[in-house]
Amino acid sequence: MANLRFNVVERAFKKRPLPVEVPEMRPAEYYGKLVFNREKMYKYLSLEVYEKLVDVIDNGTRLDRSIADAVAQGMKQWALDNGATHYTHWFQPLTEGTAEKHDAFVVHDGKGGMMEDFSGKLLVQQEPDASSFPNGGIRNTFEARGYSAWDPTSPVFIIDDTLCIPTIFISYTGEALDYKAPLLKSLRAINKAATEVCQYFDPNVKQVHANLGWEQEYFLVDEDLFFARPDLVLTGRTLMGHDFAKNQQMDDHYFGTIPERVQAYMKDLEIEALQLGIPVKTRHNEVAPGQFELAPIFEECNLAVDHNMLLMSLMKKIAHKHSFRVLLHEKPFNGINGSGKHNNWSLTTDTGVLLHRNGKTSEDNLRFVVFIVETLMAVYKHNGLLKASVMSATNDHRLGANEAPPAIISSFLGTQLTELLDHIELADKEELFTFEGKQGMKLDIPEIPELLIDNTDRNRTSPFAFTGNRFEFRAVGSEANCASAMIVLNTAVAEALIHFKKRVDTLIAKGENKTSAIIDIIREDIKTCKPIRFDGNGYSEEWKQEAYKRGLDCEPSCPICFDRYLDKESVKMFELTNVMTKNELLARNEVKWETYTKRIQIEARVIGDIAMNHIIPVATEYQTLLAKNVKSMMDIFGGEEGKKLTESNISIIKDIANRIKTIEIDVEELVNTRKIANKIESQRKKAIAYHDTIAPKMEEIRYQIDKLELIVSNELWTLPKYRELLFIR
Ligand code: ADP
Ligand code: MG
């Protein structure tokens, strides 16, 4: 048995980097090669069709069905020119991954042969037989009708031999069964609300876009080692494994030299990503050994979400090629950092940046302050919901642990912005204005210092930090679809802006000057949302107490956090902005609870199996060895001396026996608690039972197994250890 593990480890450590085929062109030249971008649209479509399509993309006008056929023909031609034979609607069901079903371009030509065909109808809408995707009861399975519909704002692309068409996925009755449909609605909501507020300052603003720049953290593990760990294979994380002597204490991995094999992997990944139009830019080692990060240049939010989904599947595919497995799980290893996905979020207008103070005029500064404050209002009002949007069975291990954002949402602004808001709040109103003859009242916000965009004024413990020209939402899980968090953030900010405008308009209607009205409301809101601002250490025990006093959501249990989606305030927000109906929210929560339960359920089964058929047999084998040793020692020495000399081995034998006994009892209890939980009808209550009774039992079993790993002879231990899994040569 033992040699098996040693063989695997040896094989893994001896692997050399895979030579990477680097294209002859420069990255800027092959960027977007496999994407039907504007350059290709222009080439493959008539000018009239091109212009209509661009209008749909840029201005959100309705797609004229009459151009769909022409667009489909152009796309097909481009796809065939690039070696594609199939096409697929590519969508994002509520399972966290992406889904696709490939069809060939061929049809009968009526003369006994085949020809390539692709119509507007097939491009625009399809009815995949996708009855087994989670839908929370929205669709009766027998009806089984879900539609996928083309999203023209995200360009189609080619993977291998398949033209992939980004689509939304909705039910027969129009309810969202995916992430993209509500995301697009949330983007429409924030566009509308933010544009109206922008027009107070500049009537020329016609559109506001949300941007997203995600930073993707991940672990790499050698594929042979991965396959020797059934827990990794089946659950994506290690359910057992003792810390090793040297992990991340020395901080020597962070930003360290990238191991050659990993470097080759990254290079390969970047080439493919760039060809698919994902603007990857940054790569580095992360804090934990075996952990890395990749970040692109930020993009429009919907496109960035698609690109992240696409990148995650590319990561898996290319890892395989390099004999790695990529772990996107938020917490694959205990005792070292987990992985997240920082979501850098900002707003831009068609005329400039919104969350960046450019300070040319006081009006600019005021507009900047309005958007900062209303974002804070949104985060304050819906802090529990925002937390729920990033919660999952897997991210649960990370939120609240001592490394990552705490399970309480707060916002860090930095000294300068804090001082500015304090000034606006506390100054006498007259101080904020000067009178200038005929022009009347003029705003006089003191010069705002150039905000720091560099890294000097940063608080790494804050889950929602302002970083110069954007907010960085750091609590998002590495495995998650970014859309979940972005839907809530966009919608909440849209709602805050709608309320802001309503109140300002009321004051204006009463005869107040516009700028003065804005100042009044902003001063009110700065006061209201104060509890969300926190610049201290988000991991500290005092903060938990303080946050509780401030009325922030401190609930740590994931399945209970999901309740926030159904709060009156949340439903009101989603309905006001037309992003989701109560019915959709209810259905999606069913899916969330069910998914939560399933993840824990699988883990519980796996840990039970491994404990019984890996750990206990190995521990018993070692115990037998020791017992033999004791017996022969007694034969040689006998009596008092023999007893003395065998004392320590006897205590190890007893220790092992006790731990085995405990594990056996715990595994049996685990099975029984599961049986009880499985009988619960309500998905919510079942998830809570899994959280409260099954997850903690698994921890107890793990504790015993990890102790055994330290006791049992290294040679007998069958599962690759942390020190072997985490170090890549
Ligand atoms: P750090 O790791 O220090 O937070 P990085 O530079 O590695 O910063 O990553 C920052 C991320 O933020 C990148 O994805 C980048 O594209 C994105 N980003 C930068 N500016 C903006 C912005 N205005 N809006 C949204 N995302 C942004
Ligand atoms: Mg960051």
Side-chain angles (χ1 to χ4, degrees):
M1 260 201 282
N3 288 338
L4 193 66
R5 172 175 139 243
F6 287 163
N7 287 346
V8 170
V9 171
E10 199 187 333
R11 205 157 63 222
F13 280 11
K14 277 193 178 151
K15 281 182 198 164
R16 300 298 311 142
L18 193 78
V20 179
E21 256 178 69
V22 182
E24 277 181 20
M25 287 182 285
R26 285 177 296 115
E29 290 166 327
Y30 61 78
Y31 174 68
K33 183 179 153 216
L34 299 173
V35 183
F36 194 61
N37 54 20
R38 286 182 194 212
E39 184 196 330
K40 281 139 207 165
M41 287 177 198
Y42 191 78
K43 189 169 159 205
Y44 282 88
L45 304 176
S46 73
L47 187 61
E48 191 203 344
V49 173
Y50 171 83
E51 278 173 355
K52 277 191 181 160
L53 183 57
V54 166
D55 191 39
V56 171
I57 298 169
D58 287 347
N59 304 317
T61 47
R62 272 209 166 285
L63 180 82
D64 176 354
R65 283 297 268 259
S66 69
I67 68 160
D69 271 323
V71 175
Q73 287 320 306
M75 268 181 195
K76 183 196 74 182
Q77 199 47 52
W78 169 73
L80 295 177
D81 287 352
N82 284 278
T85 52
H86 287 64
Y87 63 91
T88 180
H89 275 196
W90 182 82
F91 57 99
Q92 301 166 23
L94 298 171
T95 48
E96 302 294 343
T98 54
E100 52 203 78
K101 176 184 152 225
H102 300 187
D103 282 302
F105 281 121
V106 290
V107 290
H108 285 299
D109 66 359
K111 299 175 203 121
M114 288 281 217
M115 60 185 251
E116 282 102 5
D117 192 31
F118 185 55
S119 65
K121 201 168 133 255
L122 291 172
L123 165 67
V124 172
Q125 194 181 65
Q126 284 190 26
E127 193 182 320
D129 177 24
S131 46
S132 42
F133 285 114
N135 62 71
I138 278 183
R139 233 163 5 134
N140 286 330
T141 320
F142 68 86
E143 195 156 90
R145 283 210 265 188
Y147 286 100
S148 55
W150 178 36
D151 166 18
T153 61
S154 181
V156 302
F157 51 91
I158 295 174
I159 292 196
D160 301 328
D161 61 359
T162 304
L163 175 72
C164 301
I165 302 158
T167 55
I168 57 167
F169 183 45
I170 51 174
S171 75
Y172 182 58
T173 42
E175 281 125 335
L177 297 168
D178 70 345
Y179 284 107
K180 191 189 260 282
L183 177 69
L184 288 173
K185 288 183 178 171
S186 77
L187 289 165
R188 202 173 307 149
I190 199 166
N191 180 3
K192 182 162 184 290
T195 303
E196 283 174 7
V197 169
C198 279
Q199 286 173 349
Y200 281 140
F201 304 94
D202 176 2
N204 293 323
V205 172
K206 296 282 178 290
Q207 281 196 48
V208 175
H209 290 295
N211 304 308
L212 166 63
W214 38 264
E215 301 159 54
Q216 177 74 52
E217 294 177 339
Y218 61 97
F219 279 88
L220 283 176
V221 170
D222 178 83
E223 198 163 45
D224 285 312
L225 293 169
F226 172 85
F227 281 119
R229 289 285 311 221
D231 48 353
L232 273 184
V233 175
L234 295 168
T235 72
R237 75 171 175 116
T238 55
L239 298 175
M240 57 205 59
H242 202 281
D243 283 4
F244 48 107
K246 173 183 180 295
N247 49 41
Q248 65 188 43
Q249 311 93 325
M250 311 285 290
D251 274 336
D252 51 357
H253 183 68
Y254 192 49
F255 285 9
T257 316
I258 301 172
E260 279 178 76
R261 267 184 79 196
V262 177
Q263 175 94 16
Y265 164 74
M266 288 175 166
K267 215 180 179 77
D268 219 355
L269 176 61
E270 285 164 1
I271 293 168
E272 291 223 17
L274 287 168
Q275 289 183 342
L276 283 164
I278 308 172
V280 289
K281 185 176 165 74
T282 310
R283 58 179 178 209
H284 58 78
N285 286 1
E286 257 305 324
V287 174
Q291 192 187 28
F292 308 92
E293 182 185 300
L294 182 148
I297 301 171
F298 68 92
E299 298 176 283
E300 186 281 320
C301 186
N302 173 43
L303 188 59
V305 168
D306 282 359
H307 278 168
N308 182 247
M309 297 307 288
L310 186 54
L311 183 93
M312 288 195 289
S313 60
L314 273 185
M315 287 173 96
K316 289 177 195 161
K317 187 178 105 182
I318 292 166
H320 189 56
K321 189 168 143 195
H322 288 254
S323 190
F324 280 129
R325 280 291 162 140
V326 63
L327 306 180
L328 293 175
H329 193 290
E330 283 80 2
K331 192 75 184 171
F333 303 98
N334 269 18
I336 55 173
N337 275 13
S339 301
K341 182 144 56 194
H342 296 176
N343 277 14
N344 294 270
W345 175 92
S346 68
L347 295 172
T348 37
T349 67
D350 46 350
T351 57
V353 194
L354 269 184
L355 289 180
H356 189 217
R357 158 246 161 227
N358 23 39
K360 282 193 211 88
T361 65
S362 347
E363 292 259 302
D364 283 343
N365 288 343
L366 183 59
R367 185 179 79 170
F368 166 74
V369 170
V370 165
F371 277 91
I372 294 288
V373 172
E374 292 313 314
T375 304
L376 292 176
M377 281 293 277
V379 176
Y380 170 57
K381 185 169 171 202
H382 295 289
N383 69 88
L385 177 63
L386 262 178
K387 184 169 70 180
S389 77
V390 298
M391 275 282 192
S392 66
T394 52
N395 206 18
D396 219 9
H397 297 279
R398 184 174 158 257
L399 294 177
N402 233 22
E403 38 147 320
I408 300 165
I409 302 293
S410 66
S411 185
F412 167 86
L413 294 182
T415 351
Q416 293 177 325
L417 195 47
T418 302
E419 277 167 12
L420 172 66
L421 295 194
D422 288 349
H423 174 74
I424 296 174
E425 179 197 349
L426 301 169
D428 285 334
K429 197 172 165 196
E430 295 73 50
E431 268 182 55
L432 298 173
F433 292 93
T434 51
F435 285 92
E436 278 199 359
K438 270 188 272 154
Q439 289 170 347
M441 245 191 325
K442 192 169 177 302
L443 180 68
D444 184 27
I445 290 184
E447 180 55 19
I448 310 169
E450 182 62 49
L451 288 163
L452 292 176
I453 305 182
D454 62 27
N455 292 345
T456 48
D457 192 12
R458 285 201 172 188
N459 181 334
R460 290 269 158 204
T461 70
S462 178
F464 198 84
F466 184 71
T467 46
N469 57 358
R470 60 193 190 264
F471 280 96
E472 183 169 343
F473 190 18
R474 304 202 178 111
V476 182
S478 48
E479 179 181 288
N481 185 325
C482 295
S484 177
M486 293 296 98
I487 291 166
V488 172
L489 182 59
N490 291 333
T491 311
V493 176
E495 183 203 45
L497 290 168
I498 291 169
H499 287 324
F500 168 79
K501 180 161 188 301
K502 209 161 147 196
R503 288 173 296 153
V504 171
D505 286 350
T506 309
L507 292 184
I508 294 174
K510 283 187 190 150
E512 195 171 334
N513 159 292
K514 180 185 78 184
T515 309
S516 164
I518 292 173
I519 291 274
D520 280 347
I521 302 299
I522 278 302
R523 280 157 64 103
E524 189 180 308
D525 287 354
I526 291 176
K527 281 197 191 70
T528 309
C529 69
K530 225 175 199 168
I532 202 69
R533 280 159 57 189
F534 176 64
D535 284 5
N537 176 5
Y539 303 158
S540 65
E541 205 41 49
E542 301 88 76
W543 169 233
K544 271 191 206 158
Q545 317 271 329
E546 169 66 18
Y548 186 77
K549 268 194 239 145
R550 291 189 189 185
L552 300 179
D553 191 304
C554 299
E555 175 61 57
S557 160
C558 170
I560 294 179
C561 283
F562 292 155
D563 288 349
R564 300 289 74 75
Y565 273 98
L566 304 175
D567 286 349
K568 222 170 78 207
E569 287 301 309
S570 307
V571 175
K572 225 165 98 188
M573 171 190 93
F574 283 119
E575 296 199 327
L576 170 80
T577 48
N578 281 323
V579 172
M580 276 188 279
T581 62
K582 180 154 191 204
N583 203 15
E584 287 174 293
L585 291 165
L586 278 166
R588 295 166 86 91
N589 257 29
E590 291 294 298
V591 176
K592 286 183 207 297
W593 283 313
E594 198 182 335
T595 309
Y596 180 90
T597 299
K598 279 186 185 155
R599 295 279 315 223
I600 311 272
Q601 194 173 52
I602 294 170
E603 289 187 350
R605 284 189 189 138
V606 173
I607 200 173
D609 288 354
I610 299 181
M612 299 309 287
N613 54 38
H614 278 69
I615 308 300
I616 292 182
V618 169
T620 313
E621 195 185 344
Y622 184 54
Q623 202 183 29
T624 313
L625 259 178
L626 292 178
K628 277 188 193 145
N629 168 277
V630 169
K631 199 158 180 295
S632 43
M633 291 287 276
M634 286 308 282
D635 287 348
I636 300 171
F637 298 99
E640 280 309 305
E641 197 181 2
K643 260 192 204 156
K644 225 169 156 181
L645 290 172
T646 52
E647 207 171 36
S648 66
N649 274 355
I650 287 185
S651 104
I652 297 176
I653 292 171
K654 283 187 190 158
D655 189 20
I656 293 178
N658 288 333
R659 292 190 192 280
I660 289 179
K661 191 80 220 146
T662 313
I663 291 177
E664 280 170 349
I665 295 170
D666 280 345
V667 169
E668 201 181 315
E669 278 177 18
L670 188 67
V671 174
N672 290 335
T673 26
R674 231 161 58 216
K675 276 188 190 149
I676 296 169
N678 290 345
K679 288 209 184 79
I680 302 174
E681 283 278 330
S682 140
Q683 292 293 357
R684 176 179 181 275
K685 287 191 182 139
K686 195 191 284 187
I688 292 173
Y690 266 83
H691 177 276
D692 294 352
T693 60
I694 289 149
K697 201 67 344 18
M698 284 167 48
E699 284 309 308
E700 286 168 29
I701 298 174
R702 173 184 191 138
Y703 175 82
Q704 297 300 341
I705 295 179
D706 289 356
K707 288 285 175 213
L708 283 174
E709 185 185 321
L710 282 187
I711 299 169
V712 171
S713 150
N714 188 43
E715 275 191 48
L716 294 179
W717 200 254
T718 52
L719 301 172
K721 299 188 172 184
Y722 272 21
R723 60 166 189 260
E724 293 150 353
L725 290 168
L726 282 164
F727 285 96
I728 299 167
R729 302 292 156 104

